[in-house]
Amino acid sequence: MKGRKQKISLDTCPQKDRAALDGYVGGQTFIWITEKNDTKGIKERGLLEYILSPANLNAAYKQVKHNKGVGGVDKMEVESLKDYLVEHKEALLQSLLEGKYRPNPVRRVEIPKGDGSKRKLGIPTVVDRLVQQAINQILTSIYEKQFSENSYGFHPGRSAHQGLKKVQDYVNAGYKYAVDMDLAKFFDTVNQSKLIEVLSRTIKDGRVISLIHKYLNAGVEVGGRFEATVLGVPQGSPLSPLLGNVMLHELDKELEKRGHAFVRYADDLLILCKSERSAERTLKHIVPYLERVLYLRVNKDKTEVARVSNVKFLGYSFYYRKGECRLRIHPKSCTKMKQRIRAITSRSNGKGDAWRKETCGYFIRGWVNYFQVSGYEEPAGANRCMVSSSITYGNMETMETDKDQIP
């Protein structure tokens, strides 16, 4: 693109942007006074301008670079993003501000799940990942103030371990039964119209709502063929965890209104009750809300009422020792771990020793770090020696800090 290239740097003061942004909820616009401090040059700044601000775009660019990942339908790799922005940044920003930007379809990738089925992922192009990440950063700062204290998935400063600790606290307080809720293919079946309705209650900049709607409707490319997407939020995009939480926050509010104890991590949900009868009644009354109000599908074959000690949640199971609820690694988690190590270290996978060593090291360290809060009680204890020895198979290298920013 010819002509003067607009510089996007970190010169914008993020503190001032954040302070003004804090007043966004409620739908107001922001007044920016000119140097002469008169009203003739007043400029209204909406939410989209915050999303496309230099500081926010630079942060989004660094995150996309850090996340790496494969290219989308246009085959552009993350390493090429900087050169692309040097040439096309002005046109990109202008099309976004004018509402003319059209996202590319996502590229369909399927990965196997433990039950033999496959999880459908949608890989956006790197440019779309940049824009989505920029949206995600600003919307997260708005929605985090609203989200429930009982929601732990994909929230800054919150973790699965904290969610598990919350379950333990409820059990120790007498909540011995659980409604183990399974939402059937949640991300693939989100009702887009309902999601846009929920978003519009908080986000009053219609341009932002329209842009998100375009991403939902961008479609998917499967084997070179385009398929429309009338349902769902594509897993694999920077926006999908936030949008999933926005949708399920409606469920959180309903559960809180009814006085239920619960813990949710993304679409994994436990509702804790003090008796089996209470749990059965809770399940009976919450399913109609999910299906008729949020238009979500409940997997009734997997959703059940059970004692907490018989529930698998976030890879763990629960047991009692000395009158307290404790954690142990669920047997299925151990089985998956062994299967994954076999797949990585197999000589028939077409990979070299260096790849096997590095990949196994990453996997084992991540696995051990996640399951460190258990006491390695049986049946997981038999795997401890294997995990300890396997971790020596690969050494993690310290990731260098990416000092790049948008050109």
Side-chain angles (χ1 to χ4, degrees):
M1 178 178 175
K2 295 182 180 180
R4 181 180 63 85
K5 292 183 173 61
Q6 175 186 349
K7 283 193 174 183
I8 296 184
S9 66
L10 289 172
D11 293 339
T12 298
C13 177
Q15 290 84 1
K16 290 182 180 179
D17 280 1
R18 179 56 52 86
L21 185 61
D22 286 342
Y24 178 78
V25 178
Q28 68 195 66
T29 55
F30 305 95
I31 304 300
W32 293 75
I33 307 299
T34 60
E35 291 180 359
K36 294 182 179 180
N37 208 32
D38 58 29
T39 57
K40 293 181 180 179
I42 285 178
K43 180 183 179 181
E44 284 193 349
R45 195 181 194 200
L47 190 63
L48 184 59
E49 281 73 23
Y50 279 99
I51 290 170
L52 301 179
S53 68
N56 190 55
L57 284 175
N58 275 325
Y61 174 76
K62 291 179 180 180
Q63 190 61 49
V64 170
K65 290 271 288 183
H66 174 77
N67 291 344
K68 299 181 180 179
V70 297
V73 295
D74 62 356
K75 297 182 171 57
M76 182 193 297
E77 299 295 335
V78 173
E79 293 75 16
S80 302
L81 179 57
K82 185 173 183 177
D83 291 337
Y84 176 89
L85 292 173
V86 168
E87 185 70 18
H88 300 287
K89 182 188 61 201
E90 289 184 11
L92 174 64
L93 292 174
Q94 184 176 355
S95 65
L96 286 164
L97 287 168
E98 294 178 353
K100 297 178 180 179
Y101 183 74
R102 293 293 179 270
N104 281 298
V106 297
R107 181 167 65 87
R108 171 61 46 79
V109 175
E110 295 183 344
I111 59 174
K113 296 173 66 175
D115 59 3
S117 62
K118 292 185 177 181
R119 176 177 285 111
K120 296 178 181 179
L121 298 182
I123 310 300
T125 64
V126 292
V127 174
D128 283 328
R129 294 211 288 268
L130 172 69
V131 177
Q132 287 195 41
Q133 181 63 33
I135 298 171
N136 176 66
Q137 290 166 180
I138 296 298
L139 264 58
T140 294
S141 66
I142 293 172
Y143 275 104
E144 279 302 312
K145 301 178 181 70
Q146 302 181 19
F147 286 151
S148 170
E149 289 296 316
N150 291 322
S151 174
Y152 292 89
F154 306 107
H155 296 298
R158 314 206 87 192
S159 69
H161 291 166
Q162 292 173 334
L164 290 161
K165 177 63 168 59
K166 187 68 172 180
V167 174
Q168 288 180 282
D169 291 343
Y170 278 132
V171 175
N172 289 332
Y175 293 82
K176 307 294 186 182
Y177 288 85
V179 177
D180 187 2
M181 185 69 66
D182 187 283
L183 299 177
K185 298 181 178 179
F186 168 70
F187 284 97
D188 295 333
T189 59
V190 169
N191 184 290
Q192 294 179 1
S193 296
K194 182 65 179 181
L195 175 58
I196 292 298
E197 174 201 323
V198 173
L199 284 167
S200 298
R201 296 174 194 165
T202 296
I203 307 304
K204 302 303 181 181
D205 190 331
R207 300 169 300 170
V208 177
I209 294 295
S210 176
L211 183 56
I212 294 173
H213 206 173
K214 288 175 184 176
Y215 275 115
L216 294 175
N217 291 328
V220 58
E221 187 177 284
V222 183
R225 294 179 292 104
F226 174 82
E227 295 182 6
T229 48
V230 295
L231 279 177
V233 176
Q235 294 186 75
S237 71
L239 263 179
S240 60
L242 174 63
L243 296 181
N245 272 332
V246 168
M247 189 69 167
L248 289 177
H249 179 56
E250 298 299 297
L251 173 60
D252 295 346
K253 291 190 296 183
E254 185 66 20
L255 291 171
E256 289 172 347
K257 185 172 74 173
R258 299 184 186 190
H260 292 306
F262 69 96
V263 174
R264 182 175 65 80
Y265 188 95
D267 58 333
D268 288 318
L269 172 67
L270 283 185
I271 307 174
L272 287 307
C273 301
K274 291 189 174 182
S275 69
E276 185 175 13
R277 182 179 178 183
S278 174
E280 294 283 3
R281 186 168 58 247
T282 298
L283 175 60
K284 178 181 178 181
H285 291 139
I286 202 62
V287 168
Y289 176 82
L290 284 163
E291 295 181 337
R292 299 172 190 172
V293 178
L294 298 184
Y295 307 110
L296 297 173
R297 291 167 48 197
V298 176
N299 188 333
K300 295 178 182 177
D301 292 331
K302 293 185 177 180
T303 296
E304 62 176 354
V305 168
R307 284 187 172 272
V308 174
S309 56
N310 295 328
V311 165
K312 174 178 177 283
F313 186 61
L314 302 180
Y316 281 87
S317 58
F318 305 89
Y319 72 102
Y320 298 95
R321 185 176 183 184
K322 297 181 179 179
E324 291 187 353
C325 177
R326 303 199 180 189
L327 298 172
R328 65 157 51 114
I329 307 171
H330 195 278
K332 289 184 178 180
S333 300
C334 298
T335 300
K336 288 181 181 180
M337 179 266 289
K338 290 186 283 186
Q339 291 173 342
R340 179 61 178 153
I341 291 177
R342 291 193 191 102
I344 293 171
T345 58
S346 172
R347 296 290 177 180
S348 62
N349 62 18
K351 305 292 185 179
D353 286 344
W355 180 90
R356 281 191 283 268
K357 179 178 179 180
E358 180 182 19
T359 304
C360 192
Y362 273 109
F363 173 75
I364 291 293
R365 179 167 292 187
W367 195 91
V368 171
N369 285 342
Y370 179 71
F371 286 105
Q372 65 182 335
V373 296
S374 91
Y376 288 94
E377 302 285 346
E378 290 295 339
N383 297 291
R384 189 175 185 181
C385 181
M386 181 186 70
V387 171
S388 298
S389 60
S390 296
I391 199 168
T392 63
Y393 191 82
N395 296 319
M396 302 287 286
E397 294 181 359
T398 302
M399 186 175 295
E400 294 184 2
T401 302
D402 184 3
K403 297 182 179 180
D404 286 340
Q405 62 180 26
I406 294 180

